[in-house]
Amino acid sequence: MESRFLISYILLSLFFLSSAEEVKLTVKGLKSIADTDDNFICATLDWWPETKCNYNQCPWGKSGILNLDLENKILANAIKAFNPLRIRVGGSLQDQVLYKVGTSVKKCPHFKRRDDGLFGFSKGCLPMERWDLLNKLFNQTGAKITFGLNALIGRKKSKDDEYLMVGNWNSRNAHDFINYTASKGYKIDSYELGNELCGSGVAKRIEAEQYGKDMIELKRLVQEVYPDPTTQPKVLGPAGFYDEKWFNTFLQTSGPNVVDGLTHHIYNLGPGDDPSLINKIQDPSFLDQISQTYKDVSTSIKLHGPWTRAWVGESGGAYNSGGKEVSHTFLDGFWYLDQLGMTSTFNHKVFCRQALVGGNYALLNTTTFVPNPDYYGALLWHRLMGNNVLSTSHNGSHYLRAYSHCSKKTKGVSILLINMSNSTSFEVSLLDDMNLYSRGNGDRNGREEYHLTPKDGNIQSDMLLLNGTPLKLTETFEIPAMNPLLVDDTLPIRVAPDSIVFVTLKGFKAPACA
């Protein structure tokens, strides 16, 4: 055991050869301040065809729901590694999608470029043969599925406002689709109605009162098809950007026990071609600004819908497919993992990353399916960070971000440390509010540390190092093992510049984690 500590210490000493600022980190373990779902980590699959282009590039390729290679071993293994991964099937074009089942849909059109179409595309269609193949992949990998339904069927443009859609939602095609899905035994965790139609909308919008009534209809439909409450999928909405008045009215209209998950979208980094994107991701003060939205959503739920739970239903950082040289690199982890930590402190249950594959912001490379750095960050979070969120603070620089949860599968606490400084190292000593933890009195195997850094120190690299070793797929295309360093817990936690560290302390006896 002593030799393992010695090896870990030597590795860390070689890895971080710089002076460091001493920081005292306080974790309050008496009670949790929030809690997340078991499957907090979520990734999306989107409908975009190859012809989805922004900023003179077309970064989606064959990654859309209708043309994705469902036989790809890397894709399957990447999903399977989460055991399970929550996947949201949906996106901008979902309100253009018809389902080729039942008698209400006669033709099954393909998405085509069309200037007067929603988001520049004509209507599209999901054949049931394709839905069968998708569910084959979901079943094989154990994925937990949210399916986004078309909310515009049956509506017409308002005579006074070309962006406002009026009239009741026609649920017939959705009913046929849900009925087919249930009859085949496909497991659906939740159904979500519409995409970015709330508030002022993005391309189209629906008034809050009407949307609330439509959610009641969806709930009725789901209860009819799935009468057993133990297997009944949840109902989610409105899947758009937060607007206080709209969201409050939506919750009041839909009423108790209709909306199980209040989903809102976050693209707080702005457009993908913003030349200041890199600076935004490394600016803690900028990243903090979105916390007000998380707080406001939580307040809306507390005041107007205590029966529901907050979800980030879609978030890719930068919109319009992300930043070409940024969103798939190590750098993006500063934004992504910080958002996971921040969101969880505001009692959000789920955070869906746009996208699993597709665009510049995907967790997997759009062409090869090889994991990008954020994939591994998401996987470590999923494996280490448990449901109960603990209050965490420190006396150091704002560039050091810190979040802690009860550990997921072991006793003790897991901590996420993000160093956004490119020049300062931190030596972090841990304190707690009840003096139940002291260094050297923890688990005999020491604490477990996972240091994430970019290859060659280049924060725009898409090659990630774990404890100094590149993370690469195995020869059989499996996700590599991610083993921690075992470190003597009498030593402070060393956090290098431009690095991300997960730490698990089994000896931290937090009453909230008992």
Side-chain angles (χ1 to χ4, degrees), residues 70 183 320 357 468 471 492:
L70 302 177
S183 70
N320 285 342
V357 59
L471 285 170

Side-chain angles (χ1 to χ4, degrees), residues 13-262:
S13 298
L14 292 174
F15 198 43
F16 308 123
L17 295 175
S18 61
S19 59
E21 179 181 317
E22 294 184 0
V23 173
K24 293 181 179 179
L25 178 74
T26 300
V27 175
K28 295 184 178 180
L30 180 60
K31 61 181 181 178
S32 63
I33 58 171
D35 64 89
T36 66
D37 189 86
D38 285 337
N39 302 106
F40 176 70
I41 297 293
C42 166
T44 69
L45 290 176
D46 209 309
W47 293 99
W48 291 120
E50 292 180 78
T51 49
K52 160 64 173 173
C53 305
N54 296 100
Y55 319 127
N56 299 314
Q57 53 168 315
C58 305
W60 283 85
K62 294 185 180 295
S63 63
I65 292 163
L66 297 175
N67 56 17
L68 182 64
D69 178 7
L70 302 177
E71 301 293 326
N72 188 280
K73 289 183 179 179
I74 301 175
L75 174 63
N77 289 337
I79 298 172
K80 197 181 299 182
F82 279 81
N83 189 32
L85 175 63
R86 185 187 292 279
I87 294 178
R88 176 207 182 219
V89 179
S92 298
L93 295 183
Q94 80 180 50
D95 295 305
Q96 297 273 83
V97 179
L98 304 173
Y99 319 114
K100 189 64 176 72
V101 61
T103 58
S104 63
V105 173
K106 306 298 182 184
K107 297 180 180 180
C108 197
H110 297 289
F111 287 121
K112 293 180 181 178
R113 294 290 308 183
R114 182 173 168 176
D115 291 341
D116 63 344
L118 196 66
F119 296 102
F121 285 91
S122 66
K123 290 182 179 179
C125 174
L126 175 62
M128 290 304 95
E129 295 81 6
R130 182 65 177 176
W131 184 229
D132 293 339
L133 291 173
L134 283 160
N135 277 280
K136 181 181 177 183
L137 172 67
F138 299 153
N139 291 338
Q140 288 173 345
T141 58
K144 204 174 186 74
I145 302 302
T146 292
F147 188 89
L149 296 163
N150 183 339
L152 290 183
I153 296 179
R155 306 188 203 272
K156 296 188 241 180
K157 286 183 184 178
S158 166
K159 294 179 182 179
D160 304 318
D161 184 342
E162 64 176 313
Y163 295 103
L164 178 63
M165 302 298 287
V166 297
N168 294 327
W169 175 52
N170 184 335
S171 64
R172 184 177 174 187
N173 191 216
H175 180 277
D176 290 340
F177 172 76
I178 292 173
N179 199 51
Y180 175 87
T181 300
S183 70
K184 298 286 284 188
Y186 299 150
K187 294 179 181 179
I188 302 296
D189 175 76
S190 42
Y191 287 102
E192 187 174 37
L193 184 61
N195 186 83
E196 296 178 355
L197 300 169
C198 58
S200 58
V202 174
K204 298 293 179 184
R205 67 185 183 89
I206 299 170
E207 295 288 11
E209 294 88 347
Q210 179 63 59
Y211 218 127
K213 294 174 184 176
D214 298 329
M215 291 300 298
I216 294 172
E217 169 63 10
L218 175 57
K219 188 72 169 185
R220 183 200 63 76
L221 192 162
V222 169
Q223 289 175 331
E224 175 190 320
V225 178
Y226 302 90
D228 184 351
T230 62
T231 57
Q232 193 177 98
K234 294 185 284 292
V235 168
L236 314 177
F241 296 100
Y242 179 73
D243 176 291
E244 181 181 10
K245 182 179 178 181
W246 195 101
F247 268 59
N248 291 349
T249 302
F250 169 74
L251 287 171
Q252 291 164 352
T253 304
S254 55
N257 305 315
V258 172
V259 179
D260 300 300
L262 188 72

